[in-house]
C-alpha cells in the first residue's frame, strides 16, 4: 500500500476556509437570536433624547396666551374667543391656567394683592374706574411693565372695539387708574 502525502499548505488552507465559513454561520445565527424579542417584548433602538429646556414663566405664558387673542372683537358680557368684555378677557386668560379671578370688573375692587405700580410685572392686573361712573369698571393684564408707563392688554369698548394693547400713560387710562393687583404670586 502506498501512502499519499497531503500537501500541508493546501490542508491548512482548507481548514482555514472551513473555520471562516463556520464563523460566518455562527455569527449569522447569533445575530438572529439576539434580534428576537424575549417574552414577546418589543425591542426599541436606544436613542439619546436631549429635552429642550425652556424657561418660560407662568407670567410669560399668561401674557403669551393673551397676545394670541389680540384683535378678537369686543362683546358686552363676552367671555369666549368669539368676543370679550374687559373682565371676560381677563377671566378667560387666567382660567386657561386654572387661576381664579373675578368675572366682573367691579369685583376687583377688593380682590388680589395690591402692589405699587412701580413694582408691576408681566401678568399683573391693572384696575381702572369706569369711563362713565366713579366705580371700578375696567381691567387689563400687564404685558410690558414700566411702572406708570406700563403696557397692558385688554378688551376695549372704545373706538377699537377689540382686544388691544394700550399704554398706561395714555391720558384716559392714567386718570382712571385705581390699582395694580398681583394674583400670580399666590400660585
Amino acid at each position: 500500500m502506498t501512502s499519499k502525502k497531503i500537501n500541508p499548505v493546501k490542508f491548512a488552507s482548507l481548514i482555514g476556509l472551513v473555520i471562516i465559513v463556520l464563523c460566518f454561520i455562527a455569527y449569522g445565527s447569533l445575530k438572529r437570536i439576539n434580534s428576537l424579542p424575549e417574552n414577546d417584548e418589543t425591542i426599541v433602538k436606544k436613542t439619546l433624547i436631549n429635552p429642550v429646556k425652556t424657561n418660560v414663566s407662568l407670567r410669560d405664558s399668561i401674557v403669551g396666551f393673551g397676545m394670541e387673542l389680540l384683535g378678537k372683537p369686543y362683546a358686552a358680557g363676552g367671555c369666549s374667543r368669539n368676543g370679550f368684555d374687559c373682565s371676560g378677557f381677563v377671566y378667560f386668560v387666567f382660567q386657561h391656567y386654572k387661576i381664579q379671578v373675578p368675572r366682573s370688573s367691579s369685583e376687583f375692587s377688593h380682590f388680589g394683592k395690591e402692589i405699587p405700580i412701580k413694582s408691576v410685572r408681566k401678568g399683573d392686573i391693572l384696575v381702572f374706574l369706569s369711563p362713565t361712573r366713579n366705580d371700578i369698571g375696567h381691567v387689563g393684564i400687564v404685558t410690558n411693565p414700566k411702572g406708570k408707563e406700563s403696557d397692558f392688554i385688554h378688551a376695549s369698548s372704545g373706538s377699537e372695539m377689540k382686544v388691544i394693547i394700550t399704554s398706561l400713560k395714555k391720558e384716559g387710562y392714567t386718570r382712571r387708574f385705581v390699582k395694580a393687583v398681583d394674583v400670580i404670586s399666590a400660585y
Side-chain angles (χ1 to χ4, degrees):
M1 194 168 166
T2 57
S3 77
K4 270 186 161 177
K5 253 187 166 179
I6 300 176
N7 184 340
V9 173
K10 285 184 179 179
F11 181 75
S13 297
L14 182 63
I15 296 295
L17 185 60
V18 169
I19 290 174
I20 289 172
V21 169
L22 288 173
C23 285
F24 277 114
I25 292 171
Y27 176 75
S29 296
L30 284 173
K31 235 176 121 178
R32 277 192 304 263
I33 289 170
N34 286 336
S35 69
L36 294 175
E38 293 181 19
N39 302 327
D40 295 329
E41 293 176 349
T42 304
I43 295 177
V44 178
K45 280 187 173 181
K46 292 180 182 175
T47 305
L48 179 62
I49 299 173
N50 291 321
V52 177
K53 292 183 181 179
T54 58
N55 193 16
V56 178
S57 73
L58 177 58
R59 291 176 179 279
D60 289 327
S61 296
I62 286 170
V63 169
F65 182 67
M67 297 289 236
E68 291 176 20
L69 303 169
L70 274 171
K72 293 292 180 184
Y74 179 86
C79 188
S80 75
R81 290 180 184 269
N82 296 328
F84 298 100
D85 65 12
C86 66
S87 59
F89 171 74
V90 170
Y91 180 83
F92 185 84
V93 170
F94 279 85
Q95 278 298 116
H96 183 76
Y97 294 94
K98 307 216 182 326
I99 297 174
Q100 296 296 319
V101 298
R103 173 56 189 90
S104 167
S105 57
S106 63
E107 294 172 6
F108 277 91
S109 61
H110 301 291
F111 177 80
K113 177 187 171 196
E114 186 172 348
I115 55 174
I117 191 62
K118 66 182 180 188
S119 301
V120 294
R121 295 185 290 170
K122 276 185 178 182
D124 287 337
I125 298 172
L126 300 182
V127 180
F128 301 90
L129 293 174
S130 163
T132 57
R133 59 188 194 286
N134 197 24
D135 292 319
I136 303 296
H138 192 68
V139 290
I141 302 169
V142 175
T143 58
N144 186 13
K146 297 181 287 188
K148 292 180 180 179
E149 296 183 353
S150 296
D151 296 326
F152 62 100
I153 188 168
H154 60 116
S156 173
S157 61
S159 59
E160 299 90 351
M161 294 295 289
K162 62 184 176 184
V163 175
I164 60 171
I165 296 176
T166 304
S167 174
L168 182 55
K169 67 182 177 183
K170 188 174 177 183
E171 184 184 336
Y173 290 99
T174 303
R175 65 181 163 73
R176 292 175 32 218
F177 175 73
V178 174
K179 66 178 181 175
V181 177
D182 175 4
V183 296
I184 299 172
S185 293
Y187 287 86

